[in-house]
Amino acid sequence: DAGVIQSPRHEVTEMGQEVTLRCKPISGHNSLFWYRQTMMRGLELLIYFNNNVPIDDSGMPEDRFSAKMPNASFSTLKIQPSEPRDSAVYFCASTLGYTEAFFGQGTRLTVV
Amino acid sequence: GQQVMQIPQYQHVQEGEDFTTYCNSSTTLSNIQWYKQRPGGHPVFLIQLVKSGEVKKQKRLTFQFGEAKKNSSLHITATQTTDVGTYFCAGPGNQFYFGTGTSLTVIP
């Protein structure tokens, strides 16, 4: 397995634009997590899916953020409209139960 | 929600010195995991502790889980430049929260 795959690796967008981040978890894993990492706030859990169902989205900062997992092999995190303070590295991770979490390479988002 | 705090936030050591980071949870953990993130990289799993008072070693790294299962520590003996990075603890549960992390700098 190629591991957790995220795309794009880097994204630069203008304020107000829609941004969509993509994640392909490891095949067979039943849990998927989206994290945001910044120097100020560290690694923040945004949302957690179990068997494709959103379990806890209390970490999603605002209504501008939304996440979907239409099937076991794909998830998206969308920001609309984007703002400069959304600039961060966004990680996707997948696990099988409560075993080790495998992280993707991350998407570095810059909103100008 | 669950909070997992780590101290210190930053640590600079001379190569060869020891290093310890501490992890404290506001709630009892079923188990605890430790991860390392190299600069510019992504968190990578190191180890999982499950039992109260458990101690595990990986070469120069020693991991300990507290008796009450609310705290944990990672100790590195004789640090090397390859140990540079941020060390996170995580409390797997419904939300899989990560600690605030300790950034380690090793001065050659």
Side-chain angles (χ1 to χ4, degrees), chain A residues 37-53:
Chain A
Q37 188 173 40
T38 61
M39 288 292 293
M40 291 296 294
R41 302 176 69 90
L43 198 59
E44 299 175 272
L45 175 63
L46 300 178
I47 188 169
Y48 153 61
F49 292 88
N50 184 252
N51 294 322
N52 313 336
V53 176

Side-chain angles (χ1 to χ4, degrees), chain B residues 86-99:
Chain B
T86 301
Y87 292 85
F88 293 96
C89 61
N94 289 337
Q95 290 82 19
F96 223 115
Y97 286 107
F98 275 72

Side-chain angles (χ1 to χ4, degrees), chain B residues 36-58:
Chain B
K36 176 183 178 180
Q37 183 179 21
R38 295 182 184 275
H42 59 279
V44 175
F45 175 83
L46 294 177
I47 206 163
Q48 176 168 288
L49 304 172
V50 179
K51 299 177 183 177
S52 170
E54 187 172 14
V55 178
K56 286 188 175 180
K57 292 189 176 184
Q58 288 181 350

Side-chain angles (χ1 to χ4, degrees), chain B residues 9 11 50:
Chain B
Q9 188 175 2
Q11 184 79 60
V50 179

